[in-house]
């Protein structure tokens, strides 16, 4: 079984690198961390890498340094499954539709995106569509959030973790 922690929209600067305790507790047991963009500062990458391997993409608030290193979309293969990772800001439709459209014509088992800070989990055409929300910038949501995915025997299970400020 693989445990994947899914985050997006951390919007951390060098000055505010502290990750929420609720997230850190889960990162300690992760096999992989996926970040769907809006890191805001590259310093978040090595911070997360202390816990597990990190795969990520750039978002609309990220400096060119992050976009050059990570690009705006990628497919991450885990245990034979293909996870499409994108921020969701590029395109002319709503965030979720932009994210899904990014992988049109390609087989993916899940589309993971961010940008809206709104937690989402449902299935479209047998593909899991998942937005973890934000662990650091809840905007108009009641709570902060991130996601946990487990992959076992070719199946993905996903859940959101909701929490109040530390």
């Amino acid at each position: 079984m693989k445990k994947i922690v899914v985050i997006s929209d951390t919007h951390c600067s060098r000055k505010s690198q502290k990750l929420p305790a609720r997230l850190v507790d889960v990162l300690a047991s992760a096999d992989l961390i996926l970040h769907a963009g809006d890191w805001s500062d590259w310093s978040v990458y090595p911070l997360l890498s202390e816990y597990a391997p990190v795969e990520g993409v750039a978002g609309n608030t990220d400096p060119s340094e992050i976009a050059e290193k990570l690009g705006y979309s990628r497919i991450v293969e885990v245990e034979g499954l293909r996870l499409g990772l994108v921020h969701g800001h590029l395109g002319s439709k709503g965030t979720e539709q932009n994210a899904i459209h990014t992988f049109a014509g390609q087989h993916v088992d899940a589309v993971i995106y961010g940008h809206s800070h709104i937690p989402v989990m449902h299935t479209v055409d047998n593909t899991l569509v998942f937005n973890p929300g934000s662990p650091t910038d809840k905007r108009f949501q009641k709570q902060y959030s991130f996601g946990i995915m487990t992959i076992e025997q070719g199946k993905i299970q996903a859940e959101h973790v909701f929490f109040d400020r530390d």
Side-chain angles (χ1 to χ4, degrees), residues 119-141:
V120 169
M121 180 172 58
H122 60 97
T123 303
V124 174
D125 296 330
N126 296 318
T127 301
L128 174 64
V129 177
F130 191 83
N131 184 325
S134 173
T136 56
D137 184 3
K138 65 181 179 149
R139 287 194 182 162
F140 302 109
Q141 303 306 303

Side-chain angles (χ1 to χ4, degrees), residues 6 29-30 35-36 47 49 51 56 61 70 75 78 99 106 130 135-136 144:
V6 183
S29 62
H35 193 301
L47 187 64
S49 296
Y51 299 98
T61 69
L70 301 178
I75 295 175
V78 182
Q106 303 176 72
F130 191 83
T136 56
Y144 300 91

Side-chain angles (χ1 to χ4, degrees), residues 67-79:
E68 289 166 11
K69 288 180 180 181
L70 301 178
Y72 289 106
S73 68
R74 71 178 56 224
I75 295 175
V76 179
E77 294 195 26
V78 182
E79 301 282 304

Side-chain angles (χ1 to χ4, degrees), residues 2-5 23-32 51-52 148:
K2 291 281 185 191
K3 180 178 180 180
I4 304 167
V5 175
L23 175 60
V24 170
D25 289 345
V26 175
L27 288 173
S29 62
D31 295 306
L32 177 66
Y51 299 98
I148 298 174

